[in-house]
Amino acid sequence: MRNNRLLCLVAALALLAASATQAFAQRKPLPGPAALSDAQVTERLNYIENALYTAQPHSQAWWYSWMAIYASATIVQGTLAGHHWHDWRHDHHPLYTRKIRNRAFAEDMLVGGCTTALGVGGLLITPFKSAYLPDRLRSMPANTAAERQAKLLQAEDILRQYAEVEADGWGWMPHVLNLVVNIGAGLTTVLAFNRPWTDGLITFGESEAVSLLNIFTQPRKNLKALKGYEAKYKGGDSTGYGDGYDNEIFFTLVPGGVGIGMKF
């Protein structure tokens, strides 16, 4: 009974986290651009389209890669948990030897599978817009001055949406939500399965490390593009995002393996 209550608590926290993320992603509508000549509209439209289409492959790689990582981890860990749930081990005593249940590995896999399943859910609830929205802009006609003006309005709106999503992804809210889920995973390990508190800390640490890697590898090319666009065409950067958002963690191939670096 106690185990069921704890698992229900973790599920409730996960739903709360998903709801908070969705609410946090809400944005205000943007005003349209000031009256511009057709040449100015075309220049600005080309700038945004180039930025969006250049960033899209990176965004798709990040989103689909993490979907695959979380989904495969959920399947593998769930399978291992079921396979090892009835494991035994020998308890050696000076007077006798007995067999006792050994579910530590299965419990770790079960908790890990639940956290990665929540990762899949989070990516589905709040998809990375820059991975798919540029295709909508491509389909808009731009044969007349009026159509180009309308397309620029849409392009500016899409670019700002992307920038807000990328800034939010590096903000405080994802860290809080991840802490809630990962602390819940650690507490489940300790309280639901009667494990040592050190095991709970290990569970928390492993889950938090994956969460941080997910956050710090998130692309921010559109955020940089918006800051550049406003600096060039709006008379200055008015996005409100400081230079700290320009930092970027990246992976690269090095002799003998894979390296990780950070661009400032």
Side-chain angles (χ1 to χ4, degrees):
M1 182 65 70
R2 184 179 66 173
N3 293 356
N4 291 338
R5 288 199 300 268
L6 285 170
L7 292 176
C8 289
L9 175 61
V10 173
L13 289 173
L15 290 175
L16 176 63
S19 300
T21 301
Q22 199 168 24
F24 190 71
Q26 296 300 316
R27 59 184 179 83
K28 296 180 180 179
L30 291 172
L36 302 170
S37 69
D38 186 51
Q40 290 174 317
V41 169
T42 300
E43 180 184 353
R44 295 187 182 198
L45 185 57
N46 288 337
Y47 180 99
I48 296 177
E49 285 183 321
N50 181 66
L52 295 178
Y53 301 153
T54 300
Q56 187 178 18
H58 191 195
S59 299
Q60 289 176 331
W62 180 86
W63 191 42
Y64 292 128
S65 294
W66 278 102
M67 283 285 292
I69 290 170
Y70 282 142
S72 59
T74 300
I75 294 171
V76 170
Q77 291 179 109
T79 302
L80 290 173
H83 182 72
H84 291 278
W85 192 253
H86 299 291
D87 282 358
W88 296 85
R89 68 179 176 86
H90 290 92
D91 181 30
H92 297 285
H93 189 272
L95 299 178
Y96 58 84
T97 299
R98 62 175 179 173
K99 290 176 63 177
I100 60 175
R101 286 289 185 190
N102 182 25
R103 286 180 173 166
F105 177 75
E107 292 164 354
D108 290 340
M109 292 297 99
L110 178 61
V111 173
C114 289
T115 57
T116 53
L118 292 175
V120 174
L123 290 175
L124 291 175
I125 292 173
T126 56
F128 206 55
K129 294 181 179 180
S130 56
Y132 62 90
L133 272 185
D135 295 331
R136 299 182 184 179
L137 190 64
R138 284 191 179 94
S139 64
M140 292 185 65
N143 299 317
T144 66
E147 289 176 344
R148 287 187 287 273
Q149 180 77 13
K151 190 169 185 177
L152 177 60
L153 280 168
Q154 184 68 20
E156 288 185 337
D157 185 60
I158 289 176
L159 180 60
R160 185 166 291 274
Q161 286 186 54
Y162 294 176
E164 289 177 353
V165 169
E166 292 176 359
D168 292 347
W170 278 68
W172 61 270
M173 181 63 76
H175 291 285
V176 171
L177 299 178
N178 286 334
L179 281 172
V180 169
V181 173
N182 297 331
I183 289 173
L187 290 175
T188 300
T189 300
V190 174
L191 301 177
F193 300 130
N194 297 314
R195 301 271 295 279
W197 64 268
T198 51
D199 289 357
L201 284 177
I202 292 173
T203 298
F204 166 77
E206 292 174 344
S207 300
E208 185 65 14
V210 174
S211 299
L212 291 175
L213 187 62
N214 171 271
I215 290 174
F216 292 143
T217 55
Q218 177 179 303
R220 286 178 296 169
K221 294 182 180 297
N222 291 294
L223 178 55
K224 295 178 183 179
L226 176 63
K227 294 175 69 174
Y229 179 79
E230 295 208 343
K232 183 175 183 178
Y233 296 110
K234 304 287 187 176
D237 178 11
S238 61
T239 62
Y241 305 121
D243 293 337
Y245 284 93
D246 292 336
N247 301 336
E248 182 179 358
I249 292 179
F250 59 91
F251 295 94
T252 183
L253 294 176
V254 296
V258 178
I260 184 170
M262 186 169 187
K263 182 187 297 182
F264 296 93

